[in-house]
Amino acid sequence: MRACRRQPVPHTPVWYMRQAGRSLPEYLKVREGVPMLTACATPDLIAEITMQPVRRYGVDAAIFFSDIVVPLKAIGVDLDIKPGVGPVVADPIRDAKGLDALRPLEPDDVPYVTEAIRALTGELGGTPLIGFAGAPFTLGSYLIEGGPSKNHDKTKAMMYGAPELWHALMERLSTIVLEHLRIQVAAGASAVQLFDSWVGAVAAADYREFILPHTRRIFEGVEGVPRIHFGVGTGELLGVLGEAGADVVGVDWRVPLDEAARRVGPGKALQGNLDPAVLLAPWEVVERKAREVLKRGEAAEGHVFNLGHGVLPSTDPDQLKRLTDLVHEAGRAS
């Protein structure tokens, strides 16, 4: 929390995106036979999976186990998460009538979120819990494309060709996302992260025109906790991401943190940014690369060590444990 607020820290804090799952054998065991969206709506399972990496690695923060499409499912959008594919939407939104499916989110739509967070804050003690949500562009892309997309062509076609419809969609999604984050903060989340996973697909000028106003509205509406903003492939967007209103800008592995600090500008902490694939290499490579990230992170006003994207499923959990210990030791304040 202090690093997010650009305050002095005894050591560089560390947590990992997708630390709650995928590579952990204990996660695979409790998820066996349980569909993703069922797991995300079961408070006991949410709490157990969220705690697993905290117990195993000793990371400095927990990340709430959920999925970015949970609030959409909660308001009645017909979607499912298909293994090996991702979110698949039965009726993609391609016109104004499709917006009718997007009613505002209410706390009673996601009681399992509130219940799980309250249980977790008791179990975590002094370890912060990070809540999260998907950003409007990324959620909008799934809704427009009907599922994952390599080029986001239908999404961009709406953005460029039907700007009024686009902004109406972003407005509705912003309302849903903001309420989802507020629910998590009200239940006890210590910080929040907005994932705009696919926003690296747009140019900086287009981000400023079509996305920034909606992202800014979300961050302005979340009060009292540090706010983190992360996207993949956003090296060319770091400057405008810094304008969106978050306290911390997440950086993927493509841009060194000292250069990212220059692009983002003053007044922000940075999060990142070891390439997740490095963890598949021998330990001496992991150590060298991690020390390089820590060194470059000294250029930031605050630094939260993380990967440049999520933990890969084939990652050896022992590598993450050794990495956590290394960051805590090598990142100590002198």
Side-chain angles (χ1 to χ4, degrees):
M1 299 293 283
R2 293 196 295 271
C4 288
R5 295 182 171 119
R6 297 175 287 122
Q7 297 170 353
V9 292
H11 62 76
T12 303
V14 52
W15 68 277
Y16 307 111
M17 288 181 282
R18 294 195 184 127
Q19 66 185 13
R22 302 186 77 183
S23 69
L24 288 175
E26 55 266 43
Y27 167 79
L28 298 174
K29 183 177 179 180
V30 298
R31 271 291 316 280
E32 189 173 0
V34 182
M36 180 63 174
L37 287 175
T38 301
C40 293
T42 307
D44 291 348
L45 205 48
I46 295 170
E48 167 60 23
I49 294 171
T50 300
M51 288 300 303
Q52 286 176 348
V54 179
R55 299 187 196 115
R56 181 183 273 259
Y57 303 136
V59 286
D60 296 290
I63 177 75
F64 188 67
F65 173 74
S66 188
D67 190 90
I68 63 171
V69 300
V70 162
L72 299 181
K73 182 73 172 180
I75 63 170
V77 175
D78 188 356
L79 61 81
D80 195 12
I81 299 176
K82 296 192 175 181
V85 178
V88 177
V89 179
D91 300 304
I93 294 176
R94 306 278 169 77
D95 53 32
K97 189 175 185 302
L99 297 179
D100 294 341
L102 301 178
R103 67 168 176 83
L105 181 73
E106 304 289 343
D108 288 345
D109 294 321
V110 286
Y112 41 85
V113 170
T114 298
E115 183 179 339
I117 289 177
R118 286 176 176 166
L120 279 163
T121 53
E123 189 170 355
L124 283 164
T127 301
L129 175 66
I130 303 170
F132 78 91
F137 177 86
T138 294
L139 292 178
S141 179
Y142 284 123
L143 290 172
I144 295 165
E145 305 286 345
S149 171
K150 182 178 180 180
N151 299 313
H152 309 278
D153 46 349
K154 294 181 177 67
T155 304
K156 290 185 175 183
M158 181 188 291
M159 188 175 75
Y160 293 132
E164 290 186 4
L165 176 59
W166 171 263
H167 283 294
L169 174 60
M170 292 294 101
E171 182 82 18
R172 294 211 181 195
L173 289 172
S174 297
T175 298
I176 293 165
V177 170
L178 175 54
E179 181 60 20
H180 190 44
L181 291 175
R182 284 174 168 169
I183 289 168
Q184 293 174 71
V185 172
S190 306
V192 294
Q193 175 159 309
L194 189 67
F195 284 85
D196 213 346
S197 306
W198 309 134
V199 78
V202 305
D206 292 329
Y207 183 96
R208 191 178 298 279
E209 178 179 355
F210 294 107
I211 301 164
L212 179 61
H214 307 286
T215 310
R216 181 177 281 151
R217 176 190 167 209
I218 292 168
F219 284 127
E220 287 177 348
V222 177
E223 299 177 342
V225 299
R227 301 153 298 173
I228 310 166
H229 193 17
F230 174 75
V232 183
T234 52
E236 296 300 321
L237 302 180
L238 287 172
V240 68
L241 289 181
E243 299 174 23
D247 305 288
V248 185
V249 175
V251 184
D252 76 10
W253 67 92
R254 295 171 176 88
V255 178
L257 287 180
D258 47 357
E259 172 60 16
R262 187 190 68 79
R263 296 185 189 186
V264 170
K268 305 289 180 183
L270 298 184
Q271 177 178 280
N273 69 340
L274 185 71
D275 187 337
V278 167
L279 287 162
L280 308 181
W283 170 250
E284 55 268 23
V285 178
V286 178
E287 180 177 8
R288 175 169 54 83
K289 291 285 192 179
R291 290 183 183 277
E292 182 178 319
V293 170
L294 287 166
K295 182 64 178 176
R296 292 182 181 274
E298 293 174 2
E301 295 179 30
H303 179 211
V304 176
F305 189 98
N306 208 310
L307 304 182
H309 199 197
V311 175
L312 297 171
S314 56
T315 304
D316 180 354
D318 290 342
Q319 289 277 66
L320 280 170
K321 172 58 178 168
R322 291 184 74 179
L323 177 58
T324 305
D325 292 343
L326 171 68
V327 172
H328 284 160
E329 181 59 38
R332 290 190 187 280
S334 57

